[in-house]
Amino acid sequence: FSATASIGMIHMGNEKEAEDILSPYINGTGPQSSPFSTSGAYYAYGLINANRYSNEKFLYLQNGFRNSGNNENIQHGVCLGLGLVSMATSNDEVYKEFKNVLYSDSAVAGEAAALGMGLVRLGTAHEDSISEMITYANDTNHEKIIRALAVGLGLIMYEKEEIADPLIDQLGTSKDSILRYGAMFTIGLAYAGTGNNSAIKKLLHFAVSDVTDDVRRAAVINLGFVMFKTPERLPEILHLLSESYNPHTRYGVALALGIG
């Protein structure tokens, strides 16, 4: 999967030849064809055509769903590819495709569909989508799907700053640690690059007080997103956290410094 997907990074922006390059993997005629290489090829298609939506590309990926034979691994790659191609378009037809996959309640395909829902609604603060995603996160038993929905909610609130605060509060006070994890990414994405002091305080609070290591790590990582335009401030804020006894917190510090 990863090896085939990396072809998309090598050929990024090469729209004209994307289908020809990936055809052996998608059609299963390559030397080592498998559902995983097919899935990676659809993801690669999304990387090549990221944020370059057209109806033809949508139909190409829609056919990927139709030809997947309900194989959840292939659907995973198609969802990632479609999410990248349709990023920030808020296209209702694309969103509906993701929702159909999500409601099949397959952990593997549903994870990618949830991320796709966030990508297609990127930065829109779309209330109905937020409501649907939170409801499904509370209904499903698959942790992979809940985590992807939580991150997807953050994507929907990209650059929305104060508009995202009610959602941040709702997720941040949830009993489900995965939704609190999503709250950290919602803060990081809503306030990306702003250096907002209120956002920094919230993240620092979770970084030292949450009972779950995943949430703590996510809080520290997202300090990097909030402050990536003022990286000179990061070492001062992260200094004490870098000496934490908790390896998850130190992991977050390293990543936050890398992002900054």
Side-chain angles (χ1 to χ4, degrees):
F1 173 83
S2 297
T4 313
S6 66
I7 294 169
M9 296 300 293
I10 295 166
H11 292 280
M12 191 176 280
N14 187 5
E15 294 177 67
K16 290 181 181 177
E17 296 177 37
E19 290 182 29
D20 291 339
I21 292 164
L22 297 170
S23 171
Y25 304 95
I26 286 173
N27 296 328
T29 57
Q32 292 180 316
S33 60
S34 76
F36 299 102
S37 61
T38 300
S39 177
Y42 280 117
Y43 184 20
Y45 184 85
L47 290 166
I48 291 170
N49 294 288
N51 209 18
R52 292 182 173 92
Y53 178 84
S54 70
N55 201 47
E56 291 77 18
K57 288 167 189 165
F58 171 53
L59 291 172
Y60 181 80
L61 288 160
Q62 195 178 41
N63 284 332
F65 286 126
R66 305 292 175 266
N67 298 331
S68 68
N70 285 330
N71 183 301
E72 61 179 11
N73 295 302
I74 295 175
Q75 288 181 342
H76 181 94
V78 177
C79 285
L80 292 176
L82 185 54
L84 287 165
V85 169
S86 61
M87 196 189 303
T89 60
S90 201
N91 184 304
D92 289 334
E93 203 174 347
V94 173
Y95 182 82
K96 188 178 176 184
E97 288 284 348
F98 289 135
K99 208 159 72 165
N100 289 339
V101 176
L102 180 74
Y103 287 174
S104 71
D105 209 41
S106 153
V108 175
E111 177 187 30
L115 289 170
M117 290 163 87
L119 285 167
V120 72
R121 298 287 198 215
L122 181 73
T124 62
H126 196 283
E127 290 185 11
D128 289 346
S129 298
I130 290 167
S131 176
E132 286 173 350
M133 289 166 77
I134 291 174
T135 300
Y136 198 79
N138 288 320
D139 288 345
T140 186
N141 294 318
H142 295 298
E143 284 193 8
K144 275 187 173 182
I145 294 178
I146 300 169
R147 193 177 300 277
L149 285 167
V151 174
L153 289 165
L155 291 167
I156 291 176
M157 284 300 183
Y158 177 61
E159 289 190 334
K160 287 301 174 188
E161 299 187 32
E162 287 84 1
I163 293 170
D165 285 347
L167 178 62
I168 290 165
D169 292 340
Q170 182 181 354
L171 297 176
T173 54
S174 172
K175 291 178 182 176
D176 188 335
S177 63
I178 302 176
L179 291 179
R180 296 200 305 278
Y181 171 92
M184 302 307 102
F185 280 93
T186 306
I187 296 169
L189 289 161
Y191 289 94
T194 63
N196 182 282
N197 284 328
S198 172
I200 292 168
K201 282 179 184 175
K202 282 179 186 174
L203 289 169
L204 286 171
H205 170 72
F206 279 99
V208 298
S209 67
D210 201 275
V211 295
T212 306
D213 286 333
D214 272 1
V215 179
R216 286 182 162 202
R217 185 176 66 242
V220 183
I221 290 169
N222 279 283
L223 285 166
F225 286 123
V226 172
M227 301 176 67
F228 77 84
K229 288 186 180 175
T230 51
E232 65 280 358
R233 291 177 62 199
L234 269 172
E236 179 190 349
I237 285 177
L238 295 173
H239 176 68
L240 286 175
L241 292 170
S242 70
E243 297 175 353
S244 168
Y245 70 91
N246 188 321
H248 296 271
T249 302
R250 298 198 304 275
Y251 176 115
V253 169
L255 215 52
L257 287 169
I259 293 165

